């Protein structure tokens, strides 16, 4: 990890202002909303009606459909993206588009292959290296991901590259470095969408480390730049729930899930309802979540990682383990190691689970959910002191990491302390 850490932070300290517009490529993490994306798609369609052989416009249309799938939670756009990209020919831009689509569908091995083709065609494309960095991070190739992010920083130190550097540093437990890189991404932000994205990520870094006021400030400043941003609205909902204003949080989640039934929003909404004793309403949201997962799978977007964690949180160890093992056969990242640990715990196989929990902690990520899972596994093994340490760590990192699981962490910790 050393090269990226030292090079990124040295650049942060020594360089002049970064220009996110250099080279004309839009930063990957821009959070474009539905109306804007529909306008872009319409303009590209008009262009292609007039010039059907414009491979560049076909590639742009394909990536725009991928973005629409993300912001609308409608996976039907994936098929449209694939069709458009097939018309883009064998260009480097098409390969970037196919790689972006593969990442969106969680086919990270395919994304890695497409990124390789894109880099072969466009070796100086920071966007192509970004696709590779995303794929390798999810595949668990830490050294490869670091090299790809470093190459992005070398080629174009903009919002997209600094955001990826921030995430890489966060995964390695360097929270201050992650924050500094994300501040640099904000400095480079040239559009309201990029500003909103950066404020959301800075808010998440604060929220994930028990700094509610700082998180709220970032979310609010992001909403000042982009008032209809869904991620920032979700951030404010989390802050409201953490501060005890559950009615406001529930109303935010109700609006969010009506607008875009993304699995993350649905699960957080359902857990908040369940934690508040509204089991019937929570059950309805869990049903919507299950149906949304089926819809995503029908369009080639398989997320066994999310399905494993969802099943484990609901107490279905057998289903959780089936999904976790499927995902582990594809990739051995810290994310999947944690899912394997949690699924094995829910299946009563805690000795095996602890080995995976160790693998999940290998990079040093300060993650409250990981610590909670580890604490529950240790408690099941009768290692009371270590279990307490892990559960205290989870709540110290983020006392609001989950509306439901944080409550369970507190209860288990109280139970263990009573047993001592």
């Amino acid at each position: 990890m050393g090269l990226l850490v030292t090079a990124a932070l040295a650049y942060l300290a020594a360089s002049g202002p970064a220009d996110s517009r250099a080279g004309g490529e839009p930063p990957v993490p821009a959070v474009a909303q539905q109306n804007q994306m529909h306008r872009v798609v319409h303009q590209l369609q008009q262009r292609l009606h007039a010039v059907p052989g414009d491979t560049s416009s076909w590639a742009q249309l394909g990536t725009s459909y991928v973005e629409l799938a993300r912001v609308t939670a409608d996976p039907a756009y994936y098929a449209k993206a694939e069709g458009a990209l097939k018309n883009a020919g064998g260009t480097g831009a098409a390969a970037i588009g196919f790689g972006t689509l593969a990442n969106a569908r969680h086919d990270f091995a395919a994304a890695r292959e497409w990124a390789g083709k894109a880099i072969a065609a466009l070796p100086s494309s920071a966007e192509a290296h970004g696709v590779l960095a995303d794929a390798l991070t999810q595949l668990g190739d830490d050294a490869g991901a670091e090299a790809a992010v470093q190459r992005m920083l070398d080629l174009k130190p903009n919002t997209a590259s600094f955001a990826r550097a921030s995430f890489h540093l966060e995964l390695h437990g360097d929270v201050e470095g992650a924050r500094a890189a994300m501040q640099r991404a904000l400095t480079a932000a040239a559009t309201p969408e990029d500003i909103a994205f950066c404020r959301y990520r800075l808010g998440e870094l604060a929220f994930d480390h028990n700094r509610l006021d700082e998180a709220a400030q970032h979310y609010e400043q992001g909403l000042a730049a982009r008032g209809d941003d869904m991620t920032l609205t979700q951030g404010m909902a989390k802050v409201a729930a953490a501060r005890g204003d559950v009615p406001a949080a529930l109303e935010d989640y109700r609006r969010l899930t009506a607008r875009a039934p993304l699995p993350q929003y649905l699960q957080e909404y359902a857990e908040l309802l369940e934690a508040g004793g509204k089991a019937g309403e929570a059950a309805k949201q869990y049903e919507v979540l299950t149906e949304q997962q089926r819809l995503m799978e029908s369009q080639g977007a398989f997320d066994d990682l999310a399905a494993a964690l969802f099943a484990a949180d609901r107490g279905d160890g057998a289903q959780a383990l089936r999904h976790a093992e499927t995902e582990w056969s594809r990739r051995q990242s810290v994310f999947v190691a944690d899912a394997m640990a949690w699924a094995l715990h829910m299946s009563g196989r805690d000795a095996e689970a602890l080995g995976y929990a160790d693998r999940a902690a290998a990079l040093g990520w300060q993650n409250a959910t990981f610590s909670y899972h580890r604490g529950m596994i240790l408690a099941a093994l009768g290692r009371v002191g270590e279990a307490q340490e892990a559960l205290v760590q989870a709540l110290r990192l983020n006392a609001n990491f989950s509306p439901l699981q944080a409550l369970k962490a507190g209860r288990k910790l109280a139970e263990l302390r009573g047993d001592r």
Side-chain angles (χ1 to χ4, degrees):
M1 182 183 67
L3 175 63
L4 177 64
V5 174
T6 54
L9 296 183
Y11 190 96
L12 289 168
S15 68
D19 184 0
S20 65
R21 296 161 294 178
E25 296 176 13
V28 171
V31 184
Q33 298 300 311
Q34 297 178 33
N35 56 349
Q36 178 181 340
M37 290 307 305
H38 282 298
R39 285 196 298 269
V40 170
V41 165
H42 180 67
Q43 291 168 359
L44 289 168
Q45 289 171 334
Q46 287 184 316
R47 166 68 179 171
L48 289 165
H49 181 74
V51 189
D54 183 352
T55 57
S56 177
S57 291
W58 279 115
Q60 291 178 52
L61 181 60
T63 54
S64 296
Y65 279 136
V66 175
E67 180 68 3
L68 266 176
R70 188 187 66 78
V71 300
T72 64
D74 183 357
Y77 284 112
Y78 290 144
K80 292 183 178 182
E82 189 170 356
L85 291 167
K86 285 179 179 177
N87 288 324
T91 65
I96 290 172
F98 274 119
T100 302
L101 174 60
N103 273 329
R105 282 174 159 170
H106 291 201
D107 188 352
F108 301 113
R112 177 181 56 196
E113 297 304 314
W114 282 113
K117 293 177 182 178
I119 291 168
L122 300 169
S124 296
S125 169
E127 192 174 1
H129 286 88
V131 173
L132 180 61
D134 293 344
L136 294 181
T137 297
Q138 295 297 329
L139 288 168
D141 182 351
D142 186 59
E146 179 181 331
V149 175
Q150 184 65 61
R151 184 60 176 150
M152 278 194 82
L153 286 167
D154 294 341
L155 288 167
K156 187 185 293 187
N158 67 352
T159 299
S161 56
F162 278 118
R164 286 182 172 85
S166 174
F167 186 54
H168 189 84
L169 291 165
E170 183 186 1
L171 284 179
H172 289 79
D174 186 354
V175 179
E176 291 306 313
R179 187 179 297 113
M182 207 64 234
Q183 286 285 357
R184 188 65 185 186
L186 178 62
T187 300
T191 67
E193 292 78 22
D194 288 350
I195 292 169
F197 168 80
C198 293
R199 287 296 182 186
Y200 174 71
R201 286 299 309 144
L202 285 164
E204 290 294 276
L205 280 167
F207 185 88
D208 290 345
H209 291 84
N210 266 343
R211 298 192 304 274
L212 289 183
D213 290 344
E214 181 184 336
Q217 184 178 29
H218 283 301
Y219 298 144
E220 288 166 355
Q221 289 175 331
L223 286 168
R226 183 87 195 191
D228 62 349
D229 186 88
M230 294 184 297
T231 61
L232 291 162
T233 301
Q234 177 242 10
M236 290 304 296
K238 292 193 301 184
V239 169
R243 287 173 169 170
D245 191 354
V246 176
L250 289 174
E251 176 58 21
D252 281 341
Y253 277 118
R254 185 194 64 76
R255 290 188 293 107
L256 274 175
T257 54
R259 181 179 174 187
L262 294 169
Q264 178 184 356
Y265 300 162
L266 289 164
Q267 182 156 357
E268 290 174 3
Y269 186 22
E271 287 191 355
L272 189 59
L273 286 165
E274 186 175 353
K278 300 182 179 182
E281 294 177 58
K284 292 178 182 178
Q285 297 306 317
Y286 286 129
E287 289 174 7
V288 176
L289 173 56
T290 300
E291 186 55 38
Q292 186 67 12
Q293 288 174 330
R294 291 195 192 103
L295 180 61
M296 299 289 282
E297 290 176 4
S298 72
Q299 296 296 324
F302 294 91
D303 192 350
D304 284 290
L305 173 59
L309 292 169
F310 173 63
D313 285 345
R314 304 298 296 154
D316 189 344
Q319 183 85 335
L321 190 55
R322 181 177 68 81
H323 284 295
E325 287 177 336
T326 298
E327 195 68 16
W328 187 255
S329 71
R330 299 188 189 114
R331 55 189 180 116
Q332 292 81 51
S333 68
V334 294
F335 319 108
V336 188
D338 171 68
M340 280 291 296
W342 196 225
L344 284 164
H345 166 68
M346 286 298 175
S347 300
R349 295 161 58 180
D350 291 290
E352 294 173 74
L354 186 58
Y356 283 99
D358 289 341
R359 295 184 70 157
L363 297 182
W365 192 14
Q366 298 181 43
N367 183 285
T369 299
F370 282 21
S371 294
Y372 163 62
H373 291 166
R374 182 180 183 83
M376 297 297 278
I377 292 164
L378 287 165
L381 290 169
R383 294 164 63 169
V384 176
E386 294 170 275
Q388 287 191 49
E389 289 177 11
L391 292 172
V392 167
Q393 172 74 355
L395 296 172
R396 183 180 294 136
L397 283 171
N398 184 3
N400 305 284
F401 67 88
S402 160
L404 194 59
Q405 305 306 321
L407 286 175
K408 294 180 179 179
R411 290 169 186 157
K412 176 58 71 172
L413 184 58
E415 175 190 321
L416 294 172
R417 285 172 170 167
D419 289 343
R420 289 299 298 270

